[in-house]
Amino acid sequence: CPRNNFFDSLNIRNPLFPSIEWQKHQSPEVWKRMLEISGFNAVKYDFLQPYPLKTSSTMAYLLGSPFKIQCSKKS
């Protein structure tokens, strides 16, 4: 999950995940760049959301924005 989400913008602790130390989290763009620098290619990421909400970036922002990253190693 990235550090930027709805609760962060309000400067309050996320009530859905109160124990997560959000300041340690990075955006998927940061992870993508780090993986590419480290020799990975075809780096893709997607936000994970319940199926009915799959196309809503607003819901991802409200729910905490979990994401997955896929890539392959350059040979």
Side-chain angles (χ1 to χ4, degrees), residues 1-5 8 13 19-28 30-31 34 67:
C1 293
R3 71 177 68 188
N4 299 344
N5 58 53
D8 176 62
R13 184 174 284 278
S19 63
I20 292 178
E21 298 173 279
W22 292 97
Q23 72 278 7
K24 296 179 181 178
H25 289 246
Q26 299 298 325
S27 71
V30 170
W31 284 108
M34 287 179 17
F67 61 90

Side-chain angles (χ1 to χ4, degrees), residues 40-57:
F40 290 86
N41 61 2
V43 181
K44 299 183 291 185
Y45 63 87
D46 190 25
F47 287 93
L48 304 174
Q49 300 161 39
Y51 176 72
L53 308 173
K54 189 73 174 154
T55 59
S56 173
S57 60

